[in-house]
Amino acid sequence: QVQLVESGGGLVQPGGSLGLSCAASGSTLSATVMAVMGWYRQAPGKERELVARVTSGGRTNYADSVKGRFTISRDNAKNTVYLQMNSLKPEDTAVYYCNALTLTSEYWGQGTQVTVSS
């Protein structure tokens, strides 16, 4: 079994920056290849949407709404994925969820709140 543990998040003013991290852990981790790790978000009353994701080979893709402002990266040795968020806007306010895909399974973190407000 694999668990995803997120950290970071919080309250930030518009235009500010915030970083999230997500570490995978579990008894089967050593035998598990995280093919894709990424971040999704869900704002109140809205569906969960992809923010950014990165493959084990380093290929990335981003939602159009965050391109040029957010950067995703990962450390394969640590099974950790990061999301650096710059130039934050009020519309970035949401619960951010870490996601990981293996060849056979999908895992989700419990979510961390990001609030952008003055």
Side-chain angles (χ1 to χ4, degrees), residues 12-20 41 65-72 83-89 92 96 116:
V12 64
Q13 292 186 344
S17 298
L18 210 56
L20 305 179
R41 67 186 180 187
S65 60
V66 307
K67 283 181 180 176
R69 300 188 297 121
F70 290 12
T71 302
I72 191 169
L83 185 68
Q84 179 62 37
M85 304 182 289
N86 298 328
S87 302
L88 282 160
K89 305 175 181 180
D92 294 317
Y96 284 69
V116 185

Side-chain angles (χ1 to χ4, degrees), residues 46-86:
K46 295 188 177 181
E47 293 187 354
R48 191 173 297 188
E49 62 176 1
L50 173 70
V51 176
R53 57 189 174 195
V54 57
T55 69
S56 58
R59 181 177 298 180
T60 61
N61 69 290
Y62 296 88
D64 288 342
S65 60
V66 307
K67 283 181 180 176
R69 300 188 297 121
F70 290 12
T71 302
I72 191 169
S73 61
R74 65 185 284 175
D75 184 332
N76 289 332
K78 296 180 179 180
N79 283 301
T80 300
V81 62
Y82 307 94
L83 185 68
Q84 179 62 37
M85 304 182 289
N86 298 328

